[in-house]
Amino acid sequence: MDTEIMHTDFPRWYSSLDIGDGQSTRQLRWQAVYKTATEASRETLETLLRLAFKSRTVPQASSESEIRQLFKAVDDTFEMQGNDREMQILAASCLAVMMEVNEDVGAAAALAATTAEFGGARKPKLPMDLGKLGEAAIAQWARSNGHRPDLNKYRYIDAPKFDFEKASAKITETPDWTSVAAAFTLAADATRGAIKQLAVRQSNALYAIDRFLKVQDEELQLLWWLTGQRSIDYDCGFDAITVDAQPLVLAHEVANMTEFSPGPHSVKAILSRAGLKDRKKLSVVTAINAVDTAWLTKLIGELNPSPLAMPLHAAAKRQLETGPGEAWVAGWAATAALDTDHSMTPLSLALQFYRERLLIKFE
C-alpha cells in the first residue's frame, strides 16, 4: 500500500462522519492516517486504542495532542479540539491500516484490537469492525511468519562486480608511487563494496532460514506439550488443574512457547486440543479467583496493564491488590467499563489471555 493510493475503505469510513467532506480534505486526512499508521510506536498504539474505543481511561493529553499535531501538520485547517467524533474515526482508521502495513507493531495492533473488544463486550460505534479486521490481520501475520523462505531470491546469477576503473584512472593520471598507493586504496574500497553486497545477501538468507527454523521449533515444542498433556507451571497433568483455572494457566504456557507475534495460526486449535471447551461460559471473576495466588503474583509482578487492551491482566492486578473474593470486582469493572459478571467460554477466555500475554511479551 502506498500513501498515494488511498485504502479502498477509507472514503466510506471517513464519509460516515456526514460532515460534507470534500475530496481534497479526504486525501489530506488519508495522508495523515497513512503516516501515523506506518510510523506508530507501541505508545501511539495505546493512545489510538483509547481514542477509537472511547475508553473510560482517556489518553494522556500530551499523547493525544501529538497525534492531532500529525494531522495538523498535513492540513493546517484540522481542528485541535472540538472534533472528538472525527478523531475517533481517524484513530480507528489508523489502527485498521496499521494492522496491514506496519511491520514493527502491525501484529500488536491486530492483537490489541481483538483484546480490547474482549469477546464482544466492547463495541464502539465505528464504520468498521476493528475486531474482525484484527482477526483477519492476525491470520495474515501468522501465515507470513510460517511461510517457508524462498532462498532462490538470495542467489547471485552473476558474480558481484569488482570495479577497478577509478584505481586504474588514478595511476594513468599520475604514474608515480603515490598514485599507485592511492590506487590500491581505491581498489580495496571497490573490493569491500562488492564483498559487502555478497555478505548482506548471505546474511539475509541466513536470517530467513533461522527465523523459519525457530517457527518450526515453536510448533514442535507446542506439539510435545500437547502430547505430554502436562502443565509446566503447575507441574502436573492438565486434568489435575481445576477446570476454572485451566484457561489462564494453559494460555500462559502456550504464550511462553510462542516465538513470534501474533503466534501460530493454529493456536486456537492447540488450546482446544489441550481440553478447553467452546461452550458453557466461565466468568472472568471465577477464572481469576481460581488460579494460584503465588502463580498470579509471579505473572503480574510490577506490570501496570492497560484496562482496555489487557482487561484480564488488569483484573488480576486488582485482585492481587485487594485480595481474593469479590471485593476487587466492582473497581475493576468500573475502570475497564465492563459488566461485573462478564463471561466467555473457556476457549475464548484462554485465547484472550494468550493474546494479552503476547502484547506483554513482545512489548
Side-chain angles (χ1 to χ4, degrees):
M1 186 185 298
D2 189 282
T3 185
E4 299 301 323
I5 304 174
M6 187 179 294
H7 192 291
T8 54
D9 289 323
F10 183 71
R12 175 175 60 83
W13 297 340
Y14 192 67
S15 65
S16 68
L17 285 167
D18 195 25
I19 57 175
D21 64 298
Q23 185 175 352
S24 60
T25 300
R26 190 187 311 133
Q27 182 63 37
L28 291 172
R29 295 292 183 272
W30 163 250
Q31 290 176 10
V33 164
Y34 185 83
K35 181 177 176 62
T36 303
T38 52
E39 298 178 2
S41 63
R42 287 295 293 266
E43 292 74 19
T44 308
L45 171 56
E46 176 68 19
T47 301
L48 291 171
L49 273 177
R50 292 184 182 187
L51 289 170
F53 278 82
K54 293 190 73 68
S55 170
R56 183 168 295 176
T57 306
V58 298
Q60 291 185 353
S62 58
S63 299
E64 181 178 349
S65 178
E66 286 180 10
I67 293 176
R68 287 180 174 274
Q69 192 60 51
L70 287 171
F71 284 87
K72 184 77 171 178
V74 174
D75 180 2
D76 191 55
T77 66
F78 183 77
E79 299 292 341
M80 293 294 285
Q81 58 183 357
N83 58 342
D84 290 349
R85 176 59 179 167
E86 181 183 19
M87 197 65 242
Q88 181 188 15
I89 290 178
L90 291 174
S93 300
C94 289
L95 289 171
V97 176
M98 193 190 312
M99 295 177 201
E100 297 182 19
V101 302
N102 193 317
E103 293 187 5
D104 292 328
V105 295
L111 289 169
T114 62
T115 57
E117 195 183 56
F118 202 27
R122 302 187 182 109
K123 280 291 186 181
K125 187 179 179 182
L126 292 168
M128 76 287 283
D129 188 327
L130 286 177
K132 285 186 178 179
L133 292 177
E135 293 290 351
I138 286 171
Q140 180 58 42
W141 286 110
R143 283 192 293 268
S144 177
N145 286 340
H147 182 70
R148 184 184 296 272
D150 180 11
L151 298 182
N152 284 325
K153 69 180 183 180
Y154 300 106
R155 293 174 58 193
Y156 266 112
I157 298 175
D158 299 314
K161 183 179 180 181
F162 289 79
D163 187 357
F164 295 136
E165 291 181 5
K166 290 183 179 179
S168 177
K170 190 69 176 176
I171 298 176
T172 302
E173 288 173 5
T174 311
D176 56 26
W177 288 113
T178 302
S179 297
V180 170
F184 272 113
T185 300
L186 292 172
D189 290 341
T191 303
R192 276 194 294 269
I195 292 176
K196 182 180 179 180
Q197 292 178 26
L198 182 61
V200 168
R201 188 174 289 261
Q202 289 177 333
S203 177
N204 289 338
L206 289 173
Y207 173 77
I209 294 171
D210 179 65
R211 183 181 176 90
F212 180 70
L213 290 176
K214 285 180 178 178
V215 171
Q216 297 293 296
D217 286 343
E218 170 189 274
E219 294 179 359
L220 182 61
Q221 292 304 313
L222 287 169
L223 287 173
W224 277 119
W225 179 79
L226 274 179
T227 301
Q229 294 280 297
R230 189 169 184 84
S231 166
I232 299 169
D233 291 354
Y234 275 45
D235 193 20
C236 64
F238 291 171
D239 56 359
I241 305 171
T242 60
V243 174
D244 293 343
Q246 284 182 5
L248 303 193
V249 175
L250 299 183
H252 173 253
E253 294 185 13
V254 174
N256 272 357
M257 287 182 276
T258 298
E259 288 287 338
F260 300 101
S261 182
H265 188 50
S266 58
V267 68
K268 191 171 184 179
I270 290 169
L271 291 169
S272 178
R273 188 66 175 171
L276 297 170
K277 307 299 182 185
D278 201 19
R279 58 178 185 272
K280 193 178 180 181
K281 292 186 176 182
L282 174 67
S283 74
V284 171
V285 175
T286 301
I288 296 293
N289 283 334
V291 296
D292 182 72
T293 301
W295 178 84
L296 199 60
T297 301
K298 183 178 179 181
L299 204 68
I300 300 302
E302 299 300 318
L303 288 177
N304 185 27
S306 162
L308 176 61
M310 303 173 194
L312 289 179
H313 283 77
K317 182 79 171 181
R318 184 59 68 97
Q319 192 252 36
L320 290 172
E321 292 172 345
T322 309
E326 303 287 330
W328 60 274
V329 179
W332 162 73
T335 303
L338 295 165
D339 293 334
T340 56
D341 60 350
H342 182 64
S343 302
M344 304 167 72
T345 67
L347 181 58
S348 296
L349 201 61
L351 188 62
Q352 171 79 22
F353 197 65
Y354 169 79
R355 289 175 174 176
E356 290 186 23
R357 290 306 302 173
L358 294 192
L359 286 173
I360 294 168
K361 181 177 181 178
F362 296 106
E363 191 170 20

